[in-house]
Amino acid sequence: MKKIRKGDQVIVIAGNDKGKTGEVLQILNNDRVVVSGVAVAKKHTKPNPAKSIVGGILDKNLPIHISNVAIYNSETKKADRVGIKQEEQGQKIRVFKSNGKQVG
């Protein structure tokens, strides 16, 4: 079970964007994640009417390594670690290590 999933609120703990928070948009198979509002680069695109692409300067979210992000605990307003807990029915859930509450 992955500790960080698509749709989770994360905080960047290392790199140029340290301290920024955002939502995980995509998890790539080489241990990289795309986070909204983090590692944004400008992409110059040409217009292509056949593919209905509007030209101009667009913002593009670049992937960062998964080790540089931590799950954001909204109660403590800090980065937190994630643990896996098994319920009575045998179902596994993710919990915050600091307070033991369920993630999400």
Side-chain angles (χ1 to χ4, degrees):
M1 174 179 256
K2 296 281 186 180
K3 295 188 176 183
I4 295 179
R5 294 182 186 167
K6 181 179 174 181
D8 284 345
Q9 197 71 17
V10 294
I11 186 167
V12 180
I13 57 174
N16 291 339
D17 294 320
K18 182 177 180 178
K20 288 186 180 179
T21 60
E23 182 181 342
V24 176
L25 300 175
Q26 186 179 9
I27 296 182
L28 304 174
N29 58 357
N30 54 353
D31 291 335
R32 293 189 166 274
V33 292
V34 178
V35 182
S36 65
V38 176
V40 178
K42 299 287 186 183
K43 172 113 173 110
H44 296 258
T45 58
K46 283 179 114 177
N48 189 348
K51 295 183 180 177
S52 67
I53 296 175
V54 181
I57 303 171
L58 305 174
D59 288 334
K60 182 179 180 183
N61 290 318
L62 299 176
I64 59 175
H65 199 267
I66 201 164
S67 66
N68 294 333
V69 298
I71 199 113
Y72 182 72
N73 191 342
S74 59
E75 288 185 5
T76 61
K77 305 279 191 269
K78 291 190 215 172
D80 207 344
R81 295 183 300 154
V82 177
I84 309 293
K85 193 179 208 180
Q86 195 162 5
E87 291 182 328
E88 296 89 30
Q89 299 88 7
Q91 188 177 9
K92 292 181 181 178
I93 60 169
R94 298 179 300 153
V95 293
F96 291 118
K97 288 275 192 170
S98 63
N99 56 8
K101 295 196 177 179
Q102 187 172 354
V103 176

